[in-house]
Amino acid sequence: MNQVVVVTGASGGIGRAVARAFGARQARVALLARGKEGLEAAADDVTRSGGTALAIPTDVAEFDQVDAAASRVERELGPIDVWVNVAFTSVFAPFDEIEPDEFRRVTDVSYLGYVHGTMAALRRMKSRDRGTIVQVGSALAYRGIPLQSAYCGAKHAIQGFNEALRCELLHDGSHVRTTMVQMPAVNTPQFSWVRSKLPHQAQPVPPIYQPEVAARAVLHAADHPRRREYWVGGSTVGTLIANAVAPGVLDRYLARTGYRSQQTGAAKPSDQPENLWAPADRARDFGAHGRFDDKATPRSAQLWASRHHGAVAAAGGALAATALAVWRRARS
């Protein structure tokens, strides 16, 4: 209670659900995003949930804006306890159809936006020797997929810089923590507002989870940041294990299925908004959920197991011991 929390990309999707969840804890939540209407609606969500909201229009691609936002948070809400990096943009297209300025913009927002947020948070947390930084990642931080080369590159880069930072904090004996949450496909508005050059409506690769599942994982990670990362969803676990064991086989599988699985059968709307250069929610609130509520699940058994891995390990050990005892008794 009364934590001071900063959430980037807070106007929609996972960021919106995370901000609302912290609000339900009566936290003081600073919401950073570009879209005026989405940002104001997100602030209302936090307030209605029981928290205190501070909406700050911010483009995370610009470090000066991020750093100024952090200073304002500390002036108006108090020292930052938790910083959650979520903001991103993307381009759905084959690599050779993405222009250099488009790729650079995705990198500036989706990778350097995390770097900027982490720098701003660390400047303030390190001198106090406390605080937590949560990087919202993806299974795509380990496994690239077709049609999302810029986004996958950004997520891989976040993974690398966050690991390096974690080693440095451990070397320093710092009590500032950083952790990463690798997400599955989530039903967010991104599929209705990222730049898409695909012929059909973009969709998350099933199975699809609701953003509240992601939010629960982020809050748990913020409460337990000693773990270096969390995997959310059985699909994330399966993908990362398959990539570690047989990446070449996965290359061929995704080459066959990756284009089809990321598009619906419907044509892409001709008037679909884009948020690459300007916010799509400047005059319209998209909320936390995307257009796939009928396909998305509100829970994850794997997330429960991840949050209670000690109990799961103990239960597994007990079952193994019982099985061994039964086997020995049978032999005797």
Side-chain angles (χ1 to χ4, degrees), residues 223-238:
D223 292 342
H224 305 86
R226 288 181 177 272
R227 280 180 60 179
R228 69 192 305 273
E229 67 179 21
Y230 292 83
W231 295 359
V232 181
S235 55
T236 297
V237 174

Side-chain angles (χ1 to χ4, degrees), residues 86-281:
V86 188
F88 76 94
T89 190
S90 187
V91 176
F92 280 94
F95 173 75
D96 61 0
E97 294 182 19
I98 302 175
E99 297 299 324
D101 62 335
E102 294 173 332
F103 207 103
R104 184 177 301 109
R105 177 61 179 171
V106 173
T107 304
D108 286 346
V109 175
S110 303
Y111 170 49
L112 292 180
Y114 277 55
V115 173
H116 296 161
T118 302
M119 285 180 172
L122 201 60
R123 283 184 173 186
R124 291 153 178 87
M125 292 176 176
K126 200 168 182 182
S127 62
R128 297 190 289 262
D129 197 30
R130 62 181 176 84
T132 296
I133 302 167
V134 181
Q135 320 285 13
V136 174
S138 167
L140 306 188
Y142 289 95
R143 174 66 246 182
I145 63 174
L147 305 178
Q148 294 203 52
S149 56
Y151 179 81
C152 291
K155 290 302 181 184
H156 275 66
I158 294 164
Q159 181 74 18
F161 105 80
N162 187 65
E163 288 177 345
L165 171 59
R166 186 171 188 273
C167 293
E168 292 170 5
L169 293 172
L170 289 170
H171 170 270
D172 295 342
S174 174
H175 290 96
V176 177
R177 310 294 183 192
T178 182
T179 186
M180 194 162 177
V181 185
Q182 311 296 14
M183 297 295 182
V186 180
N187 176 34
T188 73
Q190 66 156 311
F191 302 95
S192 297
W193 71 22
V194 300
R195 176 164 292 187
S196 176
K197 301 182 182 182
L198 306 179
H200 298 99
Q201 171 66 51
Q203 71 170 359
V205 179
I208 305 168
Y209 296 85
Q210 293 289 26
E212 288 76 18
V213 175
R216 290 195 293 274
V218 169
L219 265 65
H220 183 76
D223 292 342
H224 305 86
R226 288 181 177 272
R227 280 180 60 179
R228 69 192 305 273
E229 67 179 21
Y230 292 83
W231 295 359
V232 181
S235 55
T236 297
V237 174
T239 298
L240 299 189
I241 291 175
N243 191 61
V245 173
V249 173
L250 199 52
D251 288 345
R252 289 170 175 78
Y253 172 78
L254 289 168
R256 291 195 307 271
T257 66
Y259 280 62
R260 183 178 66 253
S261 64
Q262 293 185 81
Q263 301 178 75
T264 70
K268 184 186 70 175
S270 59
D271 59 347
Q272 178 168 302
E274 293 184 351
N275 79 336
L276 185 65
W277 302 107
D281 56 354

Side-chain angles (χ1 to χ4, degrees), residues 298-312:
R299 60 185 59 85
S300 166
Q302 183 280 329
L303 174 58
W304 183 93
S306 179
R307 292 172 60 183
H308 300 87
H309 66 284
V312 171

